Amino acid sequence: IQASQENITADDSVIISLQGEDIRGNIFTLNPPVQNWSYPVGSILSVSDEITWNPTTTGWQNISVQESGIIADISFNITHGMPIRLSIIGESLLITSDESVELSSVLVDTDGNEWPVLSNWSTYHSEASEWLTDLGDMAIFNGHTMGAWKILAEYTYSETGQFFAAEYDVLVSAGELNQILLNGHGLTFTVDEVLDLNPRAIDSAGNLIPNVEMVWTINGQISTGALEDSNYIFSPDVIGLYEIQVTSEGGSASITCDFIHGEAVRIVVTEIESNSLVVKSGQTIELLTEGEDQFGNRFALNVNWTLTNGTGEMSPSSSGIGYYDFKPGDVSGFVIMEYSGIGLVEQIVIEIKPENGSEEERENSQ
């Protein structure tokens, strides 16, 4: 068995000749049917007036034939054919932002044989260029921002000058939970305002992770249901310092915020000692003026007093903001006083009782 050549490409075909020799040394041509031949799967052997073999797979390939109980074989070294396209081979199309994918650039001939080539790697997105490492015939793309990213490999075949390009699509999804972000830390609000906590679960690359189960507490009390129902809008009625914590598998967050009184809807006046607006002539009572917001939270504030002649004197107390000392004048009975502040004008009624008689008058009466 002989062939026209031993080293061929996958694009070529080779002519095989088969001769037999009898016991007397006579040489003659043999042309056994195709079923007598063994040849690589996928290749094509044509047996007619001429025996022709078309290879497909690269590497050393063997062909054998059986005739009259005798077997003959021959080997060929098959190399790749002319390239018809450039292809990018990768381990996966889907990765998370915590992962990377290794890519290889190969030329492909008509029979599907592949061989690596040194390509120029790039992306169609400038921000994704930082995540791509060019290693010549290979590249590594690191997952980062969620989305679909297209990788490009370019190569020029030196033997013909033909230009080839290939694309590879990578879909990056969110990685493992790294951090939970909340709004409002260290800020001060009034009870008339609301705090949108806006919880954001993110991975190490800053991608938002949807549908993360979280457990919430407010000042140590479980509040998951209430915050979920309000779409994470926090709006307390009571003033004070609040610590809000959220935990989830893989991450947690905590903020502290202060809620102070809201805008006053009325001004409340109280008497410090007895909480009764009654004073005797010649004595003094201390009053406290406070603003009260829509939720009943109170805060001391100064007001302007308007007293009619003879009612008495109202002067700021040494106790601080909102405190006043009232000393009645010559009048007795119920007197009306007007006070104003922060855009509000209101009135109070104070009962002035006459002072008790002297010790001598009491003895005479007895």
Side-chain angles (χ1 to χ4, degrees), residues 49-60:
D49 295 338
E50 191 173 67
I51 303 171
T52 305
W53 179 59
N54 295 92
T56 54
T57 307
T58 58
W60 281 98

Side-chain angles (χ1 to χ4, degrees), residues 119-142:
S119 300
N120 293 320
W121 297 87
S122 62
T123 72
Y124 288 100
H125 315 275
S126 58
E127 66 269 34
S129 299
E130 300 178 1
W131 318 328
L132 181 68
T133 303
D134 187 341
L135 300 175
D137 62 337
M138 295 177 55
I140 297 176
F141 184 74
N142 292 299

Side-chain angles (χ1 to χ4, degrees), residues 92-332:
S92 176
L93 297 174
L94 305 175
I95 62 173
T96 71
S97 64
D98 302 324
E99 299 172 331
S100 62
V101 59
E102 188 175 286
L103 307 173
S104 301
S105 60
V106 297
L107 285 175
V108 185
D109 63 17
T110 55
D111 293 305
N113 296 299
E114 300 173 347
W115 63 101
V117 290
L118 302 177
S119 300
N120 293 320
W121 297 87
S122 62
T123 72
Y124 288 100
H125 315 275
S126 58
E127 66 269 34
S129 299
E130 300 178 1
W131 318 328
L132 181 68
T133 303
D134 187 341
L135 300 175
D137 62 337
M138 295 177 55
I140 297 176
F141 184 74
N142 292 299
H144 198 271
T145 302
M146 292 172 54
W149 307 99
K150 194 177 292 292
I151 313 300
L152 175 67
E154 298 174 298
Y155 177 79
T156 300
Y157 191 51
S158 59
E159 295 184 19
T160 62
Q162 185 177 3
F163 174 79
F164 294 95
E167 294 179 348
Y168 190 91
D169 292 312
V170 179
L171 184 63
V172 179
S173 59
E176 294 293 327
L177 177 63
N178 177 261
Q179 189 180 11
I180 300 175
L181 302 178
L182 300 176
N183 291 342
H185 180 60
L187 300 181
T188 299
F189 304 87
T190 73
V191 291
D192 296 334
E193 299 173 312
V194 298
L195 168 58
D196 184 357
L197 293 168
N198 188 25
R200 288 143 288 158
I202 61 174
D203 60 20
S204 58
N207 297 299
L208 290 175
I209 306 174
N211 305 320
V212 174
E213 292 188 3
M214 302 178 184
V215 177
W216 294 82
T217 62
I218 300 176
N219 289 348
Q221 300 296 317
I222 296 293
S223 305
T224 303
L227 287 175
E228 288 179 348
D229 292 342
S230 68
N231 198 26
Y232 307 106
I233 301 297
F234 182 55
S235 55
D237 297 344
V238 180
I239 63 175
L241 196 65
Y242 290 87
E243 182 182 20
I244 302 174
Q245 293 182 318
V246 56
T247 58
S248 182
E249 185 176 353
S252 63
S254 175
I255 66 166
T256 301
C257 57
D258 190 18
F259 274 81
I260 62 174
H261 62 81
E263 184 178 351
V265 295
R266 69 188 186 109
I267 300 175
V268 180
V269 179
T270 54
E271 197 276 328
I272 297 304
E273 293 185 359
S274 64
N275 199 28
S276 175
L277 296 178
V278 178
V279 61
K280 293 181 179 180
S281 297
Q283 297 184 1
T284 301
I285 60 171
E286 188 176 32
L287 304 177
L288 171 62
T289 56
E290 296 174 293
E292 185 175 271
D293 63 25
Q294 60 177 323
F295 300 110
N297 300 296
R298 293 184 180 183
F299 56 97
L301 80 163
N302 292 328
V303 298
N304 295 316
W305 292 93
T306 302
L307 279 68
T308 57
N309 292 333
T311 301
E313 297 179 358
M314 187 75 73
S315 58
S317 167
S318 60
S319 299
I321 296 175
Y323 289 88
Y324 295 90
D325 289 329
F326 173 65
K327 184 177 182 181
D330 298 332
V331 298
S332 62

Side-chain angles (χ1 to χ4, degrees), residues 12 44 80 85 87 191 211 267-268 277 309 346 359:
D12 298 329
I44 301 173
H80 61 76
R85 71 176 185 275
S87 181
V191 291
N211 305 320
I267 300 175
V268 180
L277 296 178
N309 292 333
E346 299 188 27
E359 185 68 23

